[in-house]
Amino acid sequence: MPVYKVLVVGGGITGSVLSLALAQRGADVDLVEISPQWFGVGHGITVQGNALKALRSVGVLERVLARAVPFDIMRLRRADGGLITELSTPHTGGPDLPSTAGALRSDLQNALCDAVYAQGVQVRLGLTVERLDQSPDHVDVTFTDSSVGRYDLVVGADGINSAMRRLVGITERPRPVGMSIFRVVAERPAEMDCAEVYYGGPRFKAGYSPISPDQCYAYLLDENLDASLIGPRAPLSLMRERGAGYGGTWGKIIASLPDDTAVDYRWIEAVLADEPWHRGRTMVIGDAAHACPPLIAQGAAMCMEDAVLLAELVTGDEPLEKALDHFMSRRLPRVRMVLENSLRLAEWEINPGTPGADPARIMSETLESLTAAA
């Protein structure tokens, strides 16, 4: 195979899936993660069928689904909770998998962390890459602790604010979309059986998804508020104030939250490196190369698809340069379509009077197109 020794930079979902997929195909993998502790944190995540397919390919699907909540429909509601329509969600991972599952992000990441260790990947925490020196047949890496290593391939999977993107030589940077998101984890009401989205209220939209037998996560999409609010401890009182006017189950969830509930608040950003993501034997994938607004719930799926396909191609029979070109020809059109449609949905939600706006159609068409192989 064209590569054997691989460095993966970033231990999130993308880097974990990539490390697993490479190691399972016989590669010798080092994974470095800048955080000194490596475990699952965060709120809920919506995992579409094509992401479930990727998780199955690296052997962690059963553990994830043991606590996740699978469902095959999504409901659109008015701000007062009245039903607009119920949509069947395409099975992007194939007919034998749920079309969607809601999960606690920490459950997903912990399953991946345990599997990475069990697979024998060398994991180093609390450091990242300081310098890359390429030659035709290897990359010499200097780490931030002054240690060094030599690799056949170096892959940055370090997220939307990737430092590896700059080191590789890609100039694109994330840009604000014009909307922000409040997110909380809450007790799951008995009536919640799928994701639901509320339109027509005072903000862009509100919604929720079941993520475990007893938990859900709820969110509110808003305009960009003061940047000083960004972080994991935004005031619950502000989310309640901004979300006043949404009723139904969403309103009940927010009203029932304890006053010390942790609220995560972020500006939503997007980025697309609309060019090859590789430079010689270095590259970026996942959110480091492409990140979109979470309006079709395909962000994690696009990252996992990147990881599984890259591992397959660089451990195959093609020379590395051809394998990476093949990877780009498969991935760039697909992620561009998802990103462009997600940005179109964001534009419609920011400007709800846009003639011809039809969010349900765009979401359905996008997911239907993703039933094709990644």
Side-chain angles (χ1 to χ4, degrees):
M1 59 186 181
V3 302
Y4 176 67
K5 183 71 171 177
V6 182
L7 173 65
V8 177
V9 183
I13 292 172
T14 310
S16 299
V17 173
L18 176 61
S19 297
L20 275 172
L22 285 167
Q24 289 166 357
R25 290 176 170 272
D28 182 5
V29 183
D30 288 353
L31 184 152
V32 296
E33 164 56 43
I34 196 168
S35 173
Q37 295 179 306
W38 191 42
F39 54 84
V41 296
H43 44 79
I45 184 170
T46 302
V47 188
Q48 300 280 13
N50 47 332
L52 297 175
K53 181 179 179 180
L55 292 173
R56 181 173 62 186
S57 76
V58 294
V60 300
L61 179 62
E62 285 190 14
R63 176 169 166 181
V64 171
L65 287 182
R67 275 192 51 80
V69 181
F71 49 90
D72 294 328
I73 59 173
M74 179 175 71
R75 297 189 188 95
L76 308 186
R77 295 190 179 275
R78 294 185 293 273
D80 63 2
L83 183 66
I84 299 172
T85 188
E86 181 174 288
L87 304 174
S88 296
T89 310
H91 287 255
T92 55
D96 57 333
L97 288 172
S99 64
T100 315
L104 194 62
R105 186 177 286 267
S106 58
D107 288 343
L108 172 57
Q109 185 63 60
N110 287 338
L112 289 169
C113 289
D114 289 348
V116 167
Y117 280 124
Q119 193 64 42
V121 173
Q122 179 66 40
V123 178
R124 300 174 68 194
L125 303 179
L127 79 163
T128 188
V129 172
E130 179 74 27
R131 178 175 170 180
L132 299 169
D133 294 296
Q134 290 209 60
S135 70
D137 59 356
H138 63 261
V139 185
D140 287 321
V141 177
T142 303
F143 296 98
T144 49
D145 66 352
S146 299
S147 63
V148 296
R150 177 168 288 184
Y151 299 92
D152 301 320
L153 177 66
V154 176
V155 184
D158 52 342
I160 189 170
N161 295 311
S162 170
M164 284 294 296
R165 193 168 51 225
R166 174 184 56 81
L167 287 176
V168 167
I170 296 173
T171 59
E172 280 82 358
R173 296 293 181 267
R175 61 178 180 83
V177 170
M179 56 172 50
S180 63
I181 187 167
F182 292 89
R183 291 181 281 210
V184 294
V185 173
E187 291 186 10
R188 176 185 171 187
E191 70 269 20
M192 187 187 297
D193 60 352
C194 69
E196 300 190 340
V197 184
Y198 288 58
Y199 290 95
R203 308 303 165 202
F204 298 140
K205 69 179 182 183
Y208 46 72
S209 176
I211 57 175
S212 78
D214 55 0
Q215 291 177 300
C216 69
Y217 100 95
Y219 61 87
L220 177 70
L221 284 176
D222 202 346
E223 63 188 81
N224 284 349
L225 305 179
D226 194 313
S228 66
L229 295 166
I230 293 173
R233 299 297 305 185
L236 175 60
S237 58
L238 180 61
M239 184 179 185
R240 284 175 169 157
E241 175 189 332
R242 302 295 295 180
Y246 291 99
T249 299
W250 194 91
K252 294 176 185 176
I253 292 169
I254 302 305
S256 69
L257 292 171
D259 289 341
D260 62 350
T261 298
V263 178
D264 188 87
Y265 176 77
R266 306 283 166 181
W267 287 9
I268 295 174
E269 297 181 308
V271 66
L272 175 63
D274 202 7
E275 58 182 322
W277 306 336
H278 56 92
R279 301 289 188 275
R281 292 176 174 268
T282 65
M283 68 182 305
V284 293
I285 65 168
D287 282 349
H290 53 83
C292 62
L295 302 180
I296 310 178
Q298 273 290 313
M302 291 297 100
C303 292
M304 292 190 225
E305 285 185 355
D306 280 0
V308 171
L309 181 62
L310 180 64
E312 174 188 329
L313 292 176
V314 301
T315 58
D317 297 326
E318 292 182 316
L320 180 61
E321 183 177 358
K322 289 187 177 180
L324 296 182
D325 287 342
H326 188 186
F327 173 82
M328 287 305 305
S329 70
R330 293 269 296 271
R331 295 305 299 155
L332 186 56
R334 189 170 172 101
V335 300
R336 185 191 291 121
M337 180 271 296
V338 170
L339 179 69
E340 289 177 350
N341 286 353
S342 298
L343 289 172
R344 183 183 305 175
L345 285 172
E347 181 66 23
W348 285 349
E349 291 177 4
I350 293 169
N351 302 285
T354 303
D358 189 349
R361 176 181 61 81
I362 288 294
M363 286 190 284
S364 295
E365 289 179 355
T366 303
L367 293 173
E368 190 63 44
S369 72
L370 295 174
T371 59

PDB file of all heavy atoms in Angstrom, residues 336-353:
ATOM      1  N   ARG A 336     -19.443  20.033  -1.408  1.00  0.00           N
ATOM      2  CA  ARG A 336     -19.854  21.336  -1.920  1.00  0.00           C
ATOM      3  C   ARG A 336     -21.372  21.426  -2.024  1.00  0.00           C
ATOM      4  O   ARG A 336     -21.977  22.440  -1.658  1.00  0.00           O
ATOM      5  CB  ARG A 336     -19.218  21.609  -3.284  1.00  0.00           C
ATOM      6  CG  ARG A 336     -19.536  23.020  -3.788  1.00  0.00           C
ATOM      7  CD  ARG A 336     -19.138  23.214  -5.236  1.00  0.00           C
ATOM      8  NE  ARG A 336     -17.703  23.228  -5.421  1.00  0.00           N
ATOM      9  CZ  ARG A 336     -17.040  22.380  -6.187  1.00  0.00           C
ATOM     10  NH1 ARG A 336     -17.673  21.398  -6.818  1.00  0.00           N
ATOM     11  NH2 ARG A 336     -15.737  22.490  -6.331  1.00  0.00           N
ATOM     12  N   MET A 337     -22.012  20.362  -2.497  1.00  0.00           N
ATOM     13  CA  MET A 337     -23.465  20.349  -2.595  1.00  0.00           C
ATOM     14  C   MET A 337     -24.114  20.514  -1.224  1.00  0.00           C
ATOM     15  O   MET A 337     -25.048  21.315  -1.044  1.00  0.00           O
ATOM     16  CB  MET A 337     -23.924  19.053  -3.255  1.00  0.00           C
ATOM     17  CG  MET A 337     -25.423  18.904  -3.433  1.00  0.00           C
ATOM     18  SD  MET A 337     -26.267  18.127  -2.005  1.00  0.00           S
ATOM     19  CE  MET A 337     -25.542  16.485  -2.023  1.00  0.00           C
ATOM     20  N   VAL A 338     -23.608  19.795  -0.229  1.00  0.00           N
ATOM     21  CA  VAL A 338     -24.167  19.896   1.120  1.00  0.00           C
ATOM     22  C   VAL A 338     -23.960  21.297   1.677  1.00  0.00           C
ATOM     23  O   VAL A 338     -24.875  21.892   2.269  1.00  0.00           O
ATOM     24  CB  VAL A 338     -23.549  18.835   2.042  1.00  0.00           C
ATOM     25  CG1 VAL A 338     -23.934  19.088   3.495  1.00  0.00           C
ATOM     26  CG2 VAL A 338     -23.987  17.439   1.615  1.00  0.00           C
ATOM     27  N   LEU A 339     -22.769  21.843   1.490  1.00  0.00           N
ATOM     28  CA  LEU A 339     -22.477  23.174   2.007  1.00  0.00           C
ATOM     29  C   LEU A 339     -23.351  24.228   1.337  1.00  0.00           C
ATOM     30  O   LEU A 339     -23.946  25.094   2.007  1.00  0.00           O
ATOM     31  CB  LEU A 339     -21.003  23.512   1.803  1.00  0.00           C
ATOM     32  CG  LEU A 339     -20.569  24.892   2.287  1.00  0.00           C
ATOM     33  CD1 LEU A 339     -20.619  24.960   3.808  1.00  0.00           C
ATOM     34  CD2 LEU A 339     -19.183  25.254   1.794  1.00  0.00           C
ATOM     35  N   GLU A 340     -23.442  24.186   0.016  1.00  0.00           N
ATOM     36  CA  GLU A 340     -24.234  25.195  -0.695  1.00  0.00           C
ATOM     37  C   GLU A 340     -25.703  25.121  -0.304  1.00  0.00           C
ATOM     38  O   GLU A 340     -26.354  26.160  -0.118  1.00  0.00           O
ATOM     39  CB  GLU A 340     -24.058  25.023  -2.208  1.00  0.00           C
ATOM     40  CG  GLU A 340     -22.664  25.433  -2.697  1.00  0.00           C
ATOM     41  CD  GLU A 340     -22.476  25.197  -4.181  1.00  0.00           C
ATOM     42  OE1 GLU A 340     -23.345  24.552  -4.811  1.00  0.00           O
ATOM     43  OE2 GLU A 340     -21.449  25.662  -4.719  1.00  0.00           O
ATOM     44  N   ASN A 341     -26.249  23.919  -0.159  1.00  0.00           N
ATOM     45  CA  ASN A 341     -27.648  23.800   0.230  1.00  0.00           C
ATOM     46  C   ASN A 341     -27.861  24.230   1.680  1.00  0.00           C
ATOM     47  O   ASN A 341     -28.901  24.816   2.022  1.00  0.00           O
ATOM     48  CB  ASN A 341     -28.140  22.375   0.007  1.00  0.00           C
ATOM     49  CG  ASN A 341     -28.348  22.059  -1.460  1.00  0.00           C
ATOM     50  OD1 ASN A 341     -28.243  22.944  -2.311  1.00  0.00           O
ATOM     51  ND2 ASN A 341     -28.618  20.814  -1.782  1.00  0.00           N
ATOM     52  N   SER A 342     -26.889  23.959   2.540  1.00  0.00           N
ATOM     53  CA  SER A 342     -26.986  24.414   3.927  1.00  0.00           C
ATOM     54  C   SER A 342     -26.952  25.944   4.000  1.00  0.00           C
ATOM     55  O   SER A 342     -27.702  26.567   4.762  1.00  0.00           O
ATOM     56  CB  SER A 342     -25.850  23.825   4.763  1.00  0.00           C
ATOM     57  OG  SER A 342     -25.917  22.412   4.792  1.00  0.00           O
ATOM     58  N   LEU A 343     -26.088  26.553   3.204  1.00  0.00           N
ATOM     59  CA  LEU A 343     -26.020  28.016   3.173  1.00  0.00           C
ATOM     60  C   LEU A 343     -27.292  28.617   2.583  1.00  0.00           C
ATOM     61  O   LEU A 343     -27.740  29.687   3.016  1.00  0.00           O
ATOM     62  CB  LEU A 343     -24.796  28.473   2.384  1.00  0.00           C
ATOM     63  CG  LEU A 343     -23.445  28.221   3.057  1.00  0.00           C
ATOM     64  CD1 LEU A 343     -22.304  28.531   2.094  1.00  0.00           C
ATOM     65  CD2 LEU A 343     -23.300  29.035   4.329  1.00  0.00           C
ATOM     66  N   ARG A 344     -27.887  27.944   1.608  1.00  0.00           N
ATOM     67  CA  ARG A 344     -29.155  28.430   1.052  1.00  0.00           C
ATOM     68  C   ARG A 344     -30.250  28.392   2.112  1.00  0.00           C
ATOM     69  O   ARG A 344     -31.033  29.339   2.255  1.00  0.00           O
ATOM     70  CB  ARG A 344     -29.575  27.573  -0.147  1.00  0.00           C
ATOM     71  CG  ARG A 344     -30.849  28.066  -0.828  1.00  0.00           C
ATOM     72  CD  ARG A 344     -31.265  27.152  -1.963  1.00  0.00           C
ATOM     73  NE  ARG A 344     -30.202  26.959  -2.940  1.00  0.00           N
ATOM     74  CZ  ARG A 344     -30.281  26.131  -3.966  1.00  0.00           C
ATOM     75  NH1 ARG A 344     -31.383  25.391  -4.141  1.00  0.00           N
ATOM     76  NH2 ARG A 344     -29.286  26.003  -4.801  1.00  0.00           N
ATOM     77  N   LEU A 345     -30.290  27.308   2.889  1.00  0.00           N
ATOM     78  CA  LEU A 345     -31.265  27.232   3.979  1.00  0.00           C
ATOM     79  C   LEU A 345     -31.026  28.335   5.001  1.00  0.00           C
ATOM     80  O   LEU A 345     -31.976  28.954   5.502  1.00  0.00           O
ATOM     81  CB  LEU A 345     -31.185  25.865   4.659  1.00  0.00           C
ATOM     82  CG  LEU A 345     -31.794  24.691   3.894  1.00  0.00           C
ATOM     83  CD1 LEU A 345     -31.455  23.386   4.595  1.00  0.00           C
ATOM     84  CD2 LEU A 345     -33.295  24.842   3.773  1.00  0.00           C
ATOM     85  N   ALA A 346     -29.763  28.596   5.323  1.00  0.00           N
ATOM     86  CA  ALA A 346     -29.458  29.671   6.268  1.00  0.00           C
ATOM     87  C   ALA A 346     -29.941  31.012   5.732  1.00  0.00           C
ATOM     88  O   ALA A 346     -30.527  31.818   6.477  1.00  0.00           O
ATOM     89  CB  ALA A 346     -27.951  29.709   6.534  1.00  0.00           C
ATOM     90  N   GLU A 347     -29.716  31.258   4.457  1.00  0.00           N
ATOM     91  CA  GLU A 347     -30.160  32.511   3.858  1.00  0.00           C
ATOM     92  C   GLU A 347     -31.677  32.648   3.916  1.00  0.00           C
ATOM     93  O   GLU A 347     -32.204  33.715   4.233  1.00  0.00           O
ATOM     94  CB  GLU A 347     -29.665  32.589   2.406  1.00  0.00           C
ATOM     95  CG  GLU A 347     -30.036  33.859   1.674  1.00  0.00           C
ATOM     96  CD  GLU A 347     -29.370  35.105   2.252  1.00  0.00           C
ATOM     97  OE1 GLU A 347     -28.319  34.971   2.907  1.00  0.00           O
ATOM     98  OE2 GLU A 347     -29.909  36.210   2.037  1.00  0.00           O
ATOM     99  N   TRP A 348     -32.379  31.560   3.637  1.00  0.00           N
ATOM    100  CA  TRP A 348     -33.836  31.605   3.701  1.00  0.00           C
ATOM    101  C   TRP A 348     -34.323  31.848   5.129  1.00  0.00           C
ATOM    102  O   TRP A 348     -35.322  32.534   5.343  1.00  0.00           O
ATOM    103  CB  TRP A 348     -34.417  30.294   3.184  1.00  0.00           C
ATOM    104  CG  TRP A 348     -34.351  30.153   1.691  1.00  0.00           C
ATOM    105  CD1 TRP A 348     -34.032  31.113   0.780  1.00  0.00           C
ATOM    106  CD2 TRP A 348     -34.604  28.977   0.936  1.00  0.00           C
ATOM    107  NE1 TRP A 348     -34.081  30.601  -0.494  1.00  0.00           N
ATOM    108  CE2 TRP A 348     -34.430  29.289  -0.430  1.00  0.00           C
ATOM    109  CE3 TRP A 348     -34.959  27.669   1.283  1.00  0.00           C
ATOM    110  CZ2 TRP A 348     -34.608  28.353  -1.442  1.00  0.00           C
ATOM    111  CZ3 TRP A 348     -35.143  26.735   0.267  1.00  0.00           C
ATOM    112  CH2 TRP A 348     -34.968  27.075  -1.082  1.00  0.00           C
ATOM    113  N   GLU A 349     -33.633  31.272   6.094  1.00  0.00           N
ATOM    114  CA  GLU A 349     -34.078  31.440   7.472  1.00  0.00           C
ATOM    115  C   GLU A 349     -33.754  32.830   8.003  1.00  0.00           C
ATOM    116  O   GLU A 349     -34.503  33.381   8.811  1.00  0.00           O
ATOM    117  CB  GLU A 349     -33.474  30.335   8.345  1.00  0.00           C
ATOM    118  CG  GLU A 349     -34.094  28.985   7.994  1.00  0.00           C
ATOM    119  CD  GLU A 349     -33.504  27.825   8.773  1.00  0.00           C
ATOM    120  OE1 GLU A 349     -32.660  28.063   9.660  1.00  0.00           O
ATOM    121  OE2 GLU A 349     -33.895  26.681   8.485  1.00  0.00           O
ATOM    122  N   ILE A 350     -32.659  33.416   7.524  1.00  0.00           N
ATOM    123  CA  ILE A 350     -32.343  34.791   7.883  1.00  0.00           C
ATOM    124  C   ILE A 350     -33.308  35.761   7.209  1.00  0.00           C
ATOM    125  O   ILE A 350     -33.676  36.795   7.786  1.00  0.00           O
ATOM    126  CB  ILE A 350     -30.878  35.111   7.520  1.00  0.00           C
ATOM    127  CG1 ILE A 350     -29.923  34.285   8.399  1.00  0.00           C
ATOM    128  CG2 ILE A 350     -30.573  36.597   7.665  1.00  0.00           C
ATOM    129  CD1 ILE A 350     -28.477  34.330   7.957  1.00  0.00           C
ATOM    130  N   ASN A 351     -33.739  35.403   6.005  1.00  0.00           N
ATOM    131  CA  ASN A 351     -34.672  36.246   5.226  1.00  0.00           C
ATOM    132  C   ASN A 351     -35.912  35.425   4.882  1.00  0.00           C
ATOM    133  O   ASN A 351     -36.060  34.942   3.758  1.00  0.00           O
ATOM    134  CB  ASN A 351     -33.992  36.746   3.950  1.00  0.00           C
ATOM    135  CG  ASN A 351     -32.737  37.544   4.236  1.00  0.00           C
ATOM    136  OD1 ASN A 351     -32.804  38.685   4.665  1.00  0.00           O
ATOM    137  ND2 ASN A 351     -31.571  36.937   3.994  1.00  0.00           N
ATOM    138  N   PRO A 352     -36.831  35.259   5.843  1.00  0.00           N
ATOM    139  CA  PRO A 352     -37.942  34.315   5.668  1.00  0.00           C
ATOM    140  C   PRO A 352     -38.927  34.679   4.568  1.00  0.00           C
ATOM    141  O   PRO A 352     -39.704  33.839   4.144  1.00  0.00           O
ATOM    142  CB  PRO A 352     -38.628  34.320   7.036  1.00  0.00           C
ATOM    143  CG  PRO A 352     -38.220  35.603   7.669  1.00  0.00           C
ATOM    144  CD  PRO A 352     -36.844  35.890   7.172  1.00  0.00           C
ATOM    145  N   GLY A 353     -38.899  35.902   4.078  1.00  0.00           N
ATOM    146  CA  GLY A 353     -39.817  36.269   3.006  1.00  0.00           C
ATOM    147  C   GLY A 353     -39.265  36.020   1.620  1.00  0.00           C
ATOM    148  O   GLY A 353     -39.874  36.436   0.621  1.00  0.00           O
TER     149      GLY A 353
END
